[in-house]
Structures are given as C-alpha cells and as structure tokens.
Amino acid sequence: MRAQSKTIALAATALALGAPGAAVAAPCPGADLRPSAGNVLDAAQATICLINRERTRAGLRVLSDETHLRRASGTFARRMVERRFFDHVAPDGSNVVDRLKASGYLSGATSWLVGENIAWGESYLGSPAEIVRAWMKSPGHRANILRASFEDVGIGIALGTPRTADRGATYAADFGRRRPHRVPGTDTTGSTAESLRLTASRRPRPRGSAVVRGAAIERVTFYVNGRQATRLTSPGKDGAFRLRYRAGQLRNGSNRVKAKVKIHPPDGAATLRTLTIRVRR
C-alpha cells in the first residue's frame, strides 16, 4: 500500500453583534464516525454535541439545532463539494448572509448576528471529533464556537472534499441569533472574515507490517478494522505478501489484522483460509 498524506482545511467568518448560560457536559455518541451515507445525520448531531460541550466548559449557553440553519449549511457543504470550491463566498458571489436570508432564518429580523465555520478533512480527519478539535485550535473558529451571543446552530456535512478525490467529508456550521426588533447600539451590517488551512503534509510512516508466506499462494486479501485494505496477487521480492500499516490505521490500539489466503497448488483444488496476523513492529 502506498502511504498517503491526510489533509484538513478550515475557514471561518463572522458577521457582527454576548450572554452566558449553563449546561452539563456529556459524552458525544458518534464523535469518531467517518461520515457516510448511512450515518451523516448522526455525525451532524455529534458535531453539535461537541460544540456544545466546548461552550459548556466555557460557562456558555448551549446552542439549539435550528432547521433553517441546518438546511442552509447542508446545501452549502454539498455545493462546495460539487462545485469544487472552498470559501465562504460561493462562485456566484453569494455569502453567508445571502444564504441565511434565502433559507428564511433572517425573515422578519431587524437585529441579528450570524457566523460560519467551514472545514473539510480526509479519512479519519473528517470525523466530528477531528473537525471540532481543529476548529478549537484556530482562533477565528474558536471565537465563533464560543461567541456568547449565538443561540442557534445548524450543521451540514457533505461526503467528499472540494480539493481531493480521497474519501473524506466537508462541514459547514452556521451560527446565529436573531431579534424581531433592533437592539439599540448594535451594528447589524459590519462583517469580518478570515480563513485558515491546516495541512498534514508529512506522510505517516509505516508502523509495522503483516506478512503471509507460503507455497502455491494465489492471492492474499488483507482486512483492517473489518474492512478490506488491499488484495495482493503476487508477492514481493522476498517472496512475502505484506501489508504495511500506518500510525492511527488500527483502532483501539489493536495489533492484529485478518487475511484471507487463497492457496491453489498445481495438483489440487483451491482452498481459502482466514488468518489472524499479529502486526510486526
């Protein structure tokens, strides 16, 4: 297997307008999910849970999952993947305020505050836990998550990334607060924007390998964490079928992988054996 670099990219924006509350932090089911068609809604709820856990630690009110924001963020995340761009301003020039007006979130509001975080991550970096962890390490994104004035949030997750063909996920988090009348002394038209990209450019070095050797082996299929990792139909120069694994590839500190080995001797029928192999470090 060739080693692959993994990338996570972020951007944040906020549009201008504070008030604390309290809640009890709790574990967030689904925080380590890699988003897929079958779990993308669970991943979005896990992201909200993780954001609210950070707010709780800071002594702030938790955010409510808001329908209009959820719809707007989901549409925008999918649009970034489909149109292959990564920015708060879409190719047609529309920004987060335009999107939230179109969604109906700002209908009837004369005083409002909105903000947006976006991110995409490859492979395990696309999990809710990794995305929120990266946001919290970035001052602009952290400021949006911990802005006391926000009351609502909507999370959108699209499968895939805007910049690579590798598996991953693209996130949009829209934050908001709205009032039906103007609050004296507030500015509802100012805006600030910033972007940040974090790239894990160094290739993870192999941490070990699983090796199968033997006579008359036709092919070896290796499975990591229950999923097919690679299928080999010819051995290496040393006569071994070898899977190299990278840091973080095996879950829960496991040091074992499975291999299905098809053996086809010249004078007999083919057989299929399943082996559990201890990874060599």
Side-chain angles (χ1 to χ4, degrees):
M1 292 177 60
R2 68 181 180 89
Q4 295 178 325
S5 62
K6 300 303 177 191
T7 303
I8 186 166
L10 313 172
T13 189
L15 295 163
L17 232 149
V24 178
C28 294
D32 294 320
L33 286 174
R34 297 189 188 187
S36 66
N39 67 21
V40 68
L41 296 180
D42 292 333
Q45 288 302 307
T47 305
I48 293 175
C49 176
L50 290 165
I51 288 172
N52 277 333
R53 187 167 66 180
E54 296 295 341
R55 290 178 64 88
T56 297
R57 288 172 176 168
L60 303 173
R61 66 161 67 89
V62 297
L63 302 177
S64 299
D65 183 9
E66 206 282 329
T67 302
H68 299 85
L69 296 181
R70 188 187 330 126
R71 186 184 304 125
S73 60
T75 299
F76 188 57
R78 291 189 294 273
R79 191 177 181 191
M80 284 191 287
V81 174
E82 292 167 359
R83 298 289 300 276
R84 310 293 288 180
F85 74 94
F86 182 66
D87 200 296
H88 294 286
V89 180
D92 63 2
S94 60
N95 59 29
V96 63
V97 176
D98 298 319
R99 293 190 290 275
L100 297 188
K101 284 181 176 178
S103 75
Y105 181 73
L106 298 180
S107 296
T110 57
S111 175
W112 48 260
L113 168 67
V114 297
E116 183 174 78
N117 283 0
I118 58 177
W120 60 265
E122 296 173 321
S123 186
Y124 60 89
L125 293 178
S127 71
E130 292 292 343
I131 293 294
V132 174
R133 184 178 296 117
W135 278 340
M136 289 300 293
K137 290 181 179 179
S138 164
H141 304 85
R142 181 185 179 91
N144 273 347
I145 289 173
L146 299 183
R147 190 178 292 269
S149 303
F150 286 143
E151 298 174 350
D152 305 315
V153 68
I155 301 295
I157 303 175
L159 305 184
T161 77
R163 300 290 171 80
T164 73
D166 294 333
R167 289 184 179 180
T170 299
Y171 287 64
D174 287 338
F175 304 89
R177 169 187 168 180
R178 54 192 172 174
R179 295 288 183 269
H181 55 82
R182 184 176 298 278
V183 177
T186 62
D187 177 9
T188 63
T189 60
S191 65
T192 60
E194 64 177 276
S195 62
L196 170 67
R197 180 171 300 167
L198 304 177
T199 303
S201 58
R202 286 188 293 180
R203 297 175 179 230
R205 291 177 294 178
R207 292 285 302 279
S209 61
V211 180
V212 174
R213 282 191 177 92
I217 294 178
E218 183 174 305
R219 70 168 184 261
V220 177
T221 306
F222 288 101
Y223 293 81
V224 177
N225 300 328
R227 295 185 177 182
Q228 181 175 324
T230 188
R231 173 176 288 185
L232 303 177
T233 56
S234 59
K237 292 181 179 180
D238 61 353
F241 293 81
R242 180 177 281 102
L243 166 73
R244 296 189 183 279
Y245 92 97
R246 300 182 303 278
Q249 190 172 1
L250 297 180
R251 286 199 302 252
N252 302 324
S254 172
N255 65 347
R256 283 172 166 73
V257 301
K258 289 189 179 294
K260 290 185 178 179
V261 182
K262 185 176 182 181
I263 302 173
H264 197 169
D267 57 349
T271 59
L272 189 65
R273 297 181 183 177
T274 300
L275 308 176
T276 299
I277 304 170
R278 182 167 181 162
V279 172
R280 298 179 181 178
R281 299 176 184 274

